[in-house]
Amino acid sequence: MAAADRVERIVIENCSIATVDADDTEYASGHVVVAGNRIEHVGAGPAPAGPENVVRRIDGTGHLVTPGLVNTHHHFYQWITRGLATDHNLFDWLVALYPTWARIDEPMVRAAAQGSLAMMARGGVTTAMDHHYVYPQGSGDLSGAIIGAARDMGVRFTLARGSMDRSEKDGGLPPDFAVETLDGALAATEATIDAHHDGSFDSMTQIAVAPCSPFSISTELLRQGAELARRRGVRMHTHGSETVEEEKFCHELFGMGPTDYFESTGWLGSDVWMAHCVHMNDSDIAAFARTGTGVAHCPSSNARLAAGIARVPDMLAAGVPVGLGVDGTASNESGELHTELRNALLINRLGAHREKALNARQALRLGTYGGAQVLGRADQIGSLEVGKLADLVLWKLDTLAHSSIADPVTALVFGAAAPVTLSLVNGKTVVEGSRLTTVDEEVLARVTRDEARRLARIAAGA
Ligand SMILES: [Zn+2]
């Protein structure tokens, strides 16, 4: 018997399906067959008769099946510094929090990563990312702790190995004790690629090179970071054009705006994605479109820090790849991505295009296929198509919260946060009946609370 015949299959039937393929194909009542870690069939009506070795058959009545959500920007460690500096703009918020962040250690980062991952996974995220850029000396193997947390949770994961080397003494924003050296940051980033990056089709762990932001990194770290990423064939990520203050900083220090500065250092390209991109003029958007540079749109964080409204409709019209990001939970305390579908739609409708800015299907695409594009994984995840990886979510839409909304995609995006009946990552169950199957949420609630309190005590000098 061939190995393919022994593969375990899961059959899901009687559900609505939004495939988010290139034609936005949807089925009012359809089926998905998962074989191992791949999608074997997706279509209208019942599943084809007779697949071998069906280990589970699910009646999806009352549910919508979508691709799993893809998060494209986050800072996991901030899970233990939520609810602080709540009435600040970005620069004031950073200056208030850097001294606390500089005291993190490995147990804190592990707990915070578990908390961040759990909150996203129970809300339908199947591919997570963490942009981690705070590596205090002697704090342990922080990257290893984060990657281990994602592996244990069972979600697909990109670690954007961040760094900062421009501190106050060099005109930057972070305090001197919170940064690495240029050579130290580059060497540690390459060591992380060596130890953890898997570039295979069904990879569960990928590494990106990710210096933090123009106001916390040297020009040389950008230049050499780009060279490192391209030499090793990994992706590149950073923050860009987040606030008017950042724009002013770039003009004063570099004599140009953020996008021109990134272009001058090799940081535009189809292997790059940037968080925020709120303050972009027409020529910035054209440069992103021309080079295939992606955007992680973080609507709640942008609102929380009063950064502004990113021009997502204009980016999409120009052909810029756009995904959604939670951003760190010190600037988006909920830490959930499924609510960002709604927030992206609502916040963009407050911008220039008003009610034409985004519709429900575009919002769902941002959170799925768009995210896969900016992470460089659109061939593997982000839509429900035969041969792609089995990362999918069954959203329960037959309760009081949604049952009177006829269109399931409208219910998912415009309605309350929908419960997740089942979430599969790589064909394996991560959420069942709204509960995580791989971690104990109550234990995690205690551990993250205790680590948050320990960090607060240390930061206060107690
Ligand atoms: Zn961020």
Side-chain angles (χ1 to χ4, degrees):
M1 185 182 280
D5 296 328
R6 288 195 301 274
V7 86
E8 293 187 340
R9 289 183 169 80
I10 300 171
V11 174
I12 306 167
E13 295 177 298
N14 307 320
C15 45
S16 301
I17 301 171
T19 66
V20 197
D21 66 8
D23 301 321
D24 264 334
T25 306
E26 296 180 9
Y27 304 102
S29 179
H31 65 270
V32 180
V33 179
V34 170
N37 70 350
R38 304 291 177 101
I39 295 168
E40 189 173 48
H41 296 286
V42 55
E52 298 287 315
N53 209 12
V54 174
V55 295
R56 191 165 179 199
R57 192 173 282 273
I58 297 162
D59 179 3
T61 302
H63 288 78
L64 169 67
V65 178
T66 70
L69 302 184
V70 178
N71 191 40
T72 62
H73 188 64
H74 206 312
H75 311 290
F76 288 176
Y77 74 93
Q78 293 179 8
W79 190 260
I80 55 173
T81 62
R82 295 191 296 161
L84 305 175
T86 50
D87 306 306
H88 296 52
N89 70 29
L90 175 71
F91 278 15
D92 293 344
W93 173 86
L94 287 168
V95 168
L97 288 168
Y98 278 138
T100 299
W101 291 343
R103 309 303 295 272
I104 57 175
D105 61 24
E106 191 178 316
M108 291 174 192
V109 168
R110 179 178 295 106
Q114 289 172 324
S116 298
L117 285 158
M119 202 65 198
M120 284 186 296
R122 71 204 280 279
V125 168
T126 54
T127 296
M129 76 78 72
D130 183 18
H131 183 191
H132 189 85
Y133 54 85
V134 184
Y135 289 90
Q137 280 197 352
S139 55
D141 180 10
L142 304 188
S143 295
I146 295 162
I147 289 165
R151 190 178 51 234
D152 293 346
M153 195 77 57
V155 300
R156 209 177 293 286
F157 183 57
T158 294
L159 175 67
R161 203 292 181 183
S163 45
M164 302 192 292
D165 73 334
R166 183 192 291 275
S167 63
E168 285 169 333
K169 69 175 167 45
D170 302 315
L173 217 56
D176 297 340
F177 57 83
V179 303
E180 296 175 281
T181 63
L182 169 67
D183 290 343
L186 289 166
T189 302
E190 183 147 27
T192 308
I193 297 167
D194 287 335
H196 300 289
H197 182 72
D198 172 7
S200 66
F201 185 91
D202 48 7
S203 166
M204 293 295 287
T205 307
Q206 299 202 340
I207 307 297
V209 175
C212 186
S213 54
F215 47 84
S216 61
I217 54 180
S218 66
T219 304
E220 204 48 36
L221 182 52
L222 276 175
R223 285 213 181 92
Q224 293 192 32
E227 285 168 14
L228 166 63
R230 288 179 174 136
R231 175 162 56 78
R232 297 302 303 267
V234 301
R235 295 182 76 74
M236 299 156 57
H237 179 60
T238 189
H239 293 94
S241 304
E242 183 172 357
T243 63
V244 287
E245 290 83 6
E246 177 195 325
E247 198 172 15
K248 187 162 169 281
F249 179 97
C250 287
H251 277 288
E252 282 174 7
L253 248 75
F254 315 123
M256 61 187 102
T259 299
D260 291 337
Y261 178 55
F262 284 126
E263 184 149 42
S264 75
T265 53
W267 272 77
L268 294 186
S270 59
D271 51 359
V272 181
W273 85 105
M274 259 178 239
H276 305 305
C277 303
V278 173
H279 298 278
M280 303 263 282
N281 60 31
D282 290 347
S283 94
D284 296 333
I285 291 175
F288 270 55
R290 186 177 67 246
T291 56
T293 307
V295 171
H297 174 48
C298 306
S300 292
S301 173
N302 294 156
R304 159 75 152 83
L305 295 172
I309 302 169
R311 297 170 58 189
V312 172
D314 296 327
M315 293 176 192
L316 294 176
V320 176
V322 183
L324 290 182
V326 166
D327 202 2
T329 47
S331 66
N332 178 6
E333 274 75 2
S334 88
E336 296 183 313
L337 190 65
H338 57 330
T339 51
E340 295 299 290
L341 304 178
R342 182 170 186 256
N343 292 347
L345 185 150
L346 295 180
I347 285 176
N348 278 282
R349 287 187 179 189
L350 296 174
H353 298 273
R354 302 185 59 190
E355 73 276 12
K356 301 277 190 278
L358 284 178
N359 62 38
R361 276 147 182 97
Q362 287 174 307
L364 177 60
R365 178 171 290 276
L366 291 178
T368 54
Y369 189 82
Q373 274 184 302
V374 307
L375 294 184
R377 304 204 65 177
D379 293 342
Q380 303 144 25
I381 58 172
S383 59
L384 301 177
E385 296 179 76
V386 173
K388 290 184 101 169
L389 295 166
D391 294 7
L392 59 84
V393 180
L394 267 83
W395 306 93
K396 186 169 176 57
L397 298 178
D398 60 356
T399 70
L400 175 63
H402 304 93
S403 65
S404 56
I405 304 175
D407 175 58
V409 176
T410 298
L412 179 71
V413 174
F414 281 85
V420 172
T421 293
L422 181 76
S423 173
L424 298 181
V425 182
N426 218 35
K428 295 198 171 71
T429 303
V430 173
V431 178
E432 179 90 53
S434 300
R435 302 286 297 176
L436 293 159
T437 60
T438 51
V439 292
D440 184 324
E441 274 184 53
E442 281 73 31
V443 170
L444 210 45
R446 280 197 300 279
V447 171
T448 52
R449 177 201 60 196
D450 292 349
E451 291 296 340
R453 288 179 178 172
R454 188 166 70 85
L455 176 56
R457 276 198 307 275
I458 293 171

